[in-house]
Amino acid sequence: MPILSYVSRMTSEARKQNMQMPMAPIEPYAVKAVLSTLAYFSVFKHPLRYDELQSHSHFDVLSKNQLNQVLQIAIGSNVIKQSGSYYILGDKSEILRRTIGEENAHQAMQKAEKFSEIISQFPFVKGVALSGSISKGYMDADSDVDYFIITAPGKLWICRTLLILYKKIILLNSRKFFCLNYFVDENNLAIPDQNIFTATEIVFLKTMYGPEAMNSFFKANEWIFNFYPSAKIDVSAKQIAKPWISTFAEKICSTWLCNIFEVTLRKVTVLFWRIKFGKRTPEWHQAQMRNKAGVSKHHPNGFQVKVMEAHEQILQSCLEKLSL
């Protein structure tokens, strides 16, 4: 049985039965929670501080006493390394890498804020959030700025097409600060991929515009707290102020003719994707290139599967070192 499935099942059963996990010498679920958290961020070579280990802990809320206990044993067993205020599973050079990445993210944030505002002013946009690495306060030199966008019901593909045209024509198809890879409309807020990867991406979304829509999105995805029970979601953001031309466009696009246009744009986009990405299985398209009336997911690199497999391998290795 995969470690993640085992841990999740074990802790959920303990909650249902109101059981107290044994305190001596150390709670196994606490060890797995800490190691799973470090293993996940280790996939990205991203060391964590003490407060982050506690606030990002997987599966269970950990007290400081529990966290201290796990760290003491894991560091003593050379499973976890401590360097200054950071805890890592990999090489200590990852600390410098994180520091540089944080500076890159800080420098990119001004443009990310500017483009978030531009996106929010397009017709039918109801919510805008930063996703991907910048939402976690980190960027490599070759990282893109990713956006998660919520649209009005039944207008996702019109909205997406307008934004793609803006990127291709005005930005000359540059995606460095304008990578549009996930859209949902207000009737399709629940994300079906209930796993550690998707939970992480949702927990770290940085709301930029449309707090009402983003708040509804988080309420529709409360399953994320099964993976991040200590997570605190902040939806404080600017209200969307539409220019008159967007408001006018929204009014004239409420006819049956625009509904036909919406369906046509989706079909054309899906056909383009199938030609571009060749013969892939229906399962691959469902997982990486999901498309339906109210959802557009564009993740052709299959990053989710790669990350989850790497996480599982690192976690298993750590548990074996501790004979768990």
Side-chain angles (χ1 to χ4, degrees):
M1 176 184 294
I3 295 299
L4 293 184
S5 300
Y6 169 76
V7 176
S8 183
R9 189 184 71 177
M10 180 183 71
T11 54
S12 63
E13 289 178 354
R15 290 194 197 97
K16 289 178 183 177
Q17 300 174 23
N18 197 27
M19 295 171 57
Q20 292 293 325
M21 303 299 287
M23 290 298 293
I26 190 171
E27 301 95 327
Y29 79 88
V31 177
K32 292 182 175 73
V34 173
L35 291 179
S36 176
T37 306
L38 273 173
Y40 188 88
F41 288 91
S42 180
V43 175
F44 302 91
K45 295 180 172 55
H46 193 80
L48 296 177
R49 296 188 296 268
Y50 183 94
D51 61 309
E52 294 170 333
L53 268 175
Q54 191 169 31
S55 62
H56 302 341
S57 66
H58 290 174
F59 312 119
D60 274 282
V61 178
L62 298 180
S63 67
K64 288 186 177 181
N65 182 59
Q66 289 172 317
L67 181 55
N68 291 339
Q69 200 176 11
V70 172
L71 290 175
Q72 182 180 3
I73 291 178
I75 291 172
S77 302
N78 292 318
V79 175
I80 295 175
K81 303 170 190 173
Q82 181 180 6
S83 180
S85 59
Y86 290 99
Y87 297 89
I88 55 178
L89 297 178
D91 190 89
K92 291 183 179 180
S93 63
E94 293 175 6
I95 297 173
L96 176 60
R97 180 180 181 274
R98 170 171 172 169
T99 302
I100 295 172
E102 288 175 337
E103 179 59 28
N104 290 340
H106 177 73
Q107 293 178 2
M109 187 56 69
Q110 185 175 359
K111 287 190 175 181
E113 291 173 350
K114 168 191 168 185
F115 283 119
S116 293
E117 181 179 11
I118 290 173
I119 292 170
S120 75
Q121 294 178 347
F122 269 69
F124 308 114
V125 172
K126 297 296 184 180
V128 182
L130 298 179
S131 61
S133 61
I134 194 171
S135 69
K136 304 168 186 68
Y138 177 90
M139 284 189 75
D140 283 327
D142 57 350
S143 294
D144 299 325
V145 176
D146 299 318
Y147 299 89
F148 175 81
I149 299 166
I150 300 175
T151 75
K155 298 296 186 292
L156 183 149
W157 293 93
I158 293 175
C159 178
R160 183 186 184 281
T161 301
L162 291 173
L163 285 165
I164 293 296
L165 288 174
Y166 173 84
K167 184 187 80 166
K168 291 185 177 295
I169 297 172
I170 305 300
L171 302 181
L172 303 177
N173 206 31
S174 172
R175 57 179 293 167
K176 176 66 177 177
F177 298 100
F178 204 80
C179 187
L180 312 168
N181 56 25
Y182 214 133
F183 291 75
V184 296
D185 74 16
E186 291 180 307
N187 287 344
N188 291 272
L189 297 177
I191 304 298
D193 309 305
Q194 297 187 14
N195 54 53
I196 190 66
F197 178 88
T198 307
T200 304
E201 294 307 302
I202 293 176
V203 163
F204 281 91
L205 284 176
K206 182 175 177 58
T207 300
M208 304 299 286
Y209 285 87
E212 295 88 354
M214 291 302 301
N215 187 53
S216 296
F217 171 76
F218 287 116
K219 285 184 177 180
N221 292 281
E222 290 185 340
W223 58 266
I224 61 176
F225 296 109
N226 293 330
F227 295 92
Y228 286 93
S230 299
K232 292 179 173 58
I233 305 300
D234 181 12
V235 295
S236 58
K238 297 177 182 178
Q239 299 288 341
I240 292 178
K242 300 281 188 185
W244 69 267
I245 191 168
S246 287
T247 304
F248 178 72
E250 290 178 353
K251 288 181 179 179
I252 65 173
C253 284
S254 60
T255 65
W256 62 270
L257 188 60
C258 285
N259 293 335
I260 295 176
F261 192 43
E262 168 81 2
V263 173
T264 302
L265 287 173
R266 172 178 171 264
K267 289 181 178 179
V268 170
T269 303
V270 171
L271 177 60
F272 173 75
W273 285 352
R274 293 192 179 279
I275 294 173
K276 180 178 180 180
F277 298 108
K279 294 182 179 179
R280 303 292 181 99
T281 65
E283 292 76 18
W284 182 89
H285 279 280
Q286 172 65 15
Q288 314 301 335
M289 305 292 291
R290 185 172 300 131
N291 63 83
K292 61 179 187 177
V295 178
S296 171
K297 176 183 177 181
H298 186 270
H299 293 166
N301 294 326
F303 199 49
Q304 174 176 300
V305 174
K306 296 174 184 177
V307 169
M308 291 175 63
E309 288 178 348
H311 173 223
E312 194 75 34
Q313 291 171 1
I314 296 171
L315 176 57
Q316 181 64 57
S317 175
C318 290
L319 292 172
E320 288 175 355
K321 290 178 182 178
L322 290 175
S323 301
L324 291 176

